[in-house]
Amino acid sequence: MRSYFRFDRVLPGLLATTGRLLDVEYVPVDVPTWHADVHSYDVVRAGARLGRIHLDLHPRDGKYTHAACFGLAPGVVGRVLPEAVLLCNFARGLMTHDEVVTFFHEFGHLVHDILGGAQRFARFTGVATEWDFVEAPSQLLEEWAWDAGVLSSFTANADGEPIPADLVERMKVADGFGRALEVRRQLGHAQVSYHLHVDRPADLQAATEHWYDVTSPVKPLRGRHPYAGFGHLTGYSACYYTYQWSLVIARDLLSGFGGDLMNPDAAARYRREILEPGGSRDAADLVRAFLGRDYGFDAYREWLAGR
């Protein structure tokens, strides 16, 4: 699959896809940055500048080793245009599909930060939503990296052929294999996150191994002190559960596109009702405005069952 995902095609493909989806244009700008690898763009709609993004996408010595979006300047309407940074560590040549999915995920945070950045108060700008919703827009955008039509618009192998639709379907089947175990693993992380903060155990190692043991039939290796490498404990505190709860919402948001991820009416409504309000409205109200109803569990249940 890597033969279809050259970075020099994936980057412009992602920009073109999200630009069309969200009715924005990414205009390259020459501004001082912290490294030559960084590429900066103004995000523009109808000639108006909405904000600026900086993409730092390749590994180097001493760099942050994961993938994440960081706010640089919080948007305040009439005062400050939002500015945000994407830090990733993608291959410069052929990418794995997992890297492509990660790219779409993190870019979901990035556009949320920019499009939701026209708020009266910085407290509600961009991704400053409830924690059990904040991952939903980025998890939703991952779906575009699994759509055969979207992928065919920017992928190409050495012969110039786009990725075949039947290969994409086989990739989806492979992705669904072991999904329940992966969800159990995520719930194990959520248990550890919650109980280490609430119970305050004296023996962190024993408590961590216990909560992983009772959550999944796949047992962790003993004596590895996994809590010490669980980076989200310091960022998400007791709230790692939000990844799965956001996914419940994201799976339901997907239904609002009616099976056509590039549906212009659904995309405009999504931008207007979900992204642009930032944290200025309760997430439940945002979802209700987009779907026309409260969010439910059925779409997540069907995804978990592989349907």
Side-chain angles (χ1 to χ4, degrees), residues 253-261 263 266 269 290:
L253 290 176
L254 187 63
S255 67
F257 284 84
D260 179 6
L261 293 185
N263 181 316
R269 193 171 71 255
F290 175 64

Side-chain angles (χ1 to χ4, degrees), residues 10-278:
V10 171
L11 173 57
L14 180 145
L15 294 178
T17 299
T18 58
R20 179 182 162 199
L21 180 72
L22 302 172
D23 190 26
V24 297
E25 182 182 1
Y26 304 101
V27 180
V29 290
D30 185 10
V31 294
T33 60
W34 52 95
H35 194 272
D37 275 350
V38 180
H39 297 281
S40 304
Y41 302 82
D42 280 344
V43 182
V44 177
R45 180 186 300 125
R49 191 158 66 98
L50 306 179
R52 178 170 292 172
I53 59 175
H54 305 276
L55 307 182
D56 187 351
L57 301 177
H58 303 299
R60 60 179 178 272
D61 290 343
K63 182 185 171 184
Y64 180 79
T65 56
H66 299 286
C69 174
F70 296 97
L72 192 60
V76 179
V77 65
R79 293 176 176 265
V80 182
L81 286 178
E83 203 163 343
V85 180
L86 205 59
L87 289 185
C88 300
N89 290 274
F90 299 137
R92 295 178 183 273
L94 298 179
M95 302 173 67
T96 66
H97 182 252
D98 187 59
E99 287 182 308
V100 177
V101 173
T102 297
F103 199 0
F104 273 79
H105 176 100
E106 299 300 341
F107 207 84
H109 286 307
L110 194 66
V111 293
H112 194 186
D113 228 16
I114 301 303
L115 296 181
Q119 308 302 327
R120 182 182 177 191
F121 298 107
R123 169 64 181 84
F124 303 117
T125 195
V127 299
T129 64
E130 295 99 318
W131 280 57
D132 50 5
F133 173 78
V134 71
E135 293 293 335
S138 54
Q139 290 171 329
L140 176 67
L141 196 59
E142 291 179 24
E143 288 302 308
W144 277 255
W146 289 99
D147 185 87
V150 171
L151 291 177
S152 69
S153 70
F154 62 83
T155 54
N157 61 13
D159 296 324
E161 301 165 332
I163 191 167
D166 67 320
L167 177 56
V168 178
E169 288 305 309
R170 297 203 304 274
M171 289 160 58
K172 291 179 179 179
V173 172
D175 182 62
F177 180 77
R179 179 171 291 161
L181 281 177
E182 170 59 18
V183 170
R184 293 283 289 271
R185 187 178 76 89
Q186 289 295 320
L187 295 178
H189 292 328
Q191 291 268 43
V192 170
S193 166
Y194 177 78
H195 283 285
L196 291 189
H197 283 86
V198 173
D199 300 344
R200 296 174 178 262
D203 189 337
L204 295 177
Q205 174 67 9
T208 301
E209 290 185 345
H210 165 74
W211 290 114
Y212 282 131
D213 273 345
V214 300
T215 306
S216 173
V218 179
K219 304 306 178 186
L221 295 175
R222 298 292 176 177
R224 298 295 295 235
H225 304 283
Y227 61 88
F230 190 176
H232 285 76
L233 286 176
T234 57
Y236 279 66
S237 186
C239 300
Y240 189 84
Y241 80 91
T242 60
Y243 273 93
Q244 281 304 299
W245 194 246
S246 291
L247 187 56
V248 170
I249 301 171
R251 299 309 307 181
D252 211 6
L253 290 176
L254 187 63
S255 67
F257 284 84
D260 179 6
L261 293 185
M262 300 310 294
N263 181 316
D265 294 332
R269 193 171 71 255
Y270 175 74
R271 185 191 72 233
R272 183 178 65 251
E273 303 294 355
I274 299 292
L275 299 182
E276 290 180 349

Side-chain angles (χ1 to χ4, degrees), residues 288-301:
R288 190 179 303 112
F290 175 64
L291 292 178
R293 56 171 173 78
D294 292 336
Y295 60 85
F297 200 79
D298 289 346
Y300 176 85
R301 184 182 290 111

